[in-house]
Amino acid sequence: MDDDTTTPSLDEIIAGMPQRMGALNDKMGIELVEVTRERIVATMPVEGNTQPYGLLHGGASVVLAETLGSMGSALHAHPDRAPVGVDINATHHRSATSGLVTGVATPVHLGRTSTSFEVVITDEAGRRVCTSRITCSLIPLDRVPTVG
């Protein structure tokens, strides 16, 4: 296999991420702000992602966290492995009712077969709304299920 033509470079992956966010992230309004090996940052509007009482839905926070942790894991796994989520947890510290929340994912563990990221989600005042940890298994690309 000729890596120069079939495997995108890390820079190409990072450049393509905003275009490959996926349908769920599009529906939730998640927008990437920064993508590096050291941290992944994105915002998400509270509006449209609330539970019946008008508070940011905890599941929305988990979607944001999983998106960021999975992206960081994918960057680490490149070019011969792909991440699959095996564990995620979230502690919800306070509510958010308007504006944007920002998620920042930083690596806790970057191994050959697994990764873990901490994701801190804050409101526009910089107050911590949620802390999440995601662990991904890094599997060989030939074991990644294909769609279609």
Side-chain angles (χ1 to χ4, degrees):
M1 174 158 44
D2 182 2
D3 283 297
D4 290 335
T5 59
T6 59
T7 305
S9 71
L10 183 60
D11 289 338
E12 290 169 329
I13 289 173
I14 292 171
M17 279 187 171
Q19 292 78 38
R20 297 183 354 218
M21 288 290 290
L24 179 59
N25 291 309
D26 290 343
K27 287 178 186 176
M28 298 190 74
I30 295 172
E31 293 189 16
L32 286 174
V33 174
E34 177 184 339
V35 180
T36 68
R37 284 187 183 265
E38 293 76 34
R39 65 188 233 147
I40 315 293
V41 181
T43 61
M44 180 178 69
V46 173
E47 184 177 345
N49 294 313
T50 58
Q51 40 90 312
Y53 298 106
L55 308 174
L56 178 64
H57 195 292
S61 294
V62 173
V63 169
L64 177 58
E66 183 151 359
T67 296
L68 298 177
S70 294
M71 286 182 167
S73 296
L75 292 175
H76 174 69
H78 179 73
D80 58 342
R81 292 184 176 263
V84 292
V86 295
D87 181 67
I88 189 164
N89 66 56
T91 300
H92 306 288
H93 306 289
R94 69 171 52 243
S95 61
T97 57
S98 64
L100 293 175
V101 292
T102 300
V104 179
T106 55
V108 174
H109 167 74
L110 297 173
R112 189 179 69 79
T113 60
S114 70
T115 59
S116 291
F117 278 77
E118 178 184 60
V119 183
V120 174
I121 299 172
T122 57
D123 64 15
E124 290 182 326
R127 297 174 298 201
R128 191 178 291 228
V129 171
C130 177
T131 303
S132 181
R133 190 199 70 231
I134 176 173
T135 299
C136 291
S137 179
L138 305 180
I139 62 172
L141 287 178
D142 62 355
R143 292 187 48 216
V144 175
T146 57
V147 177

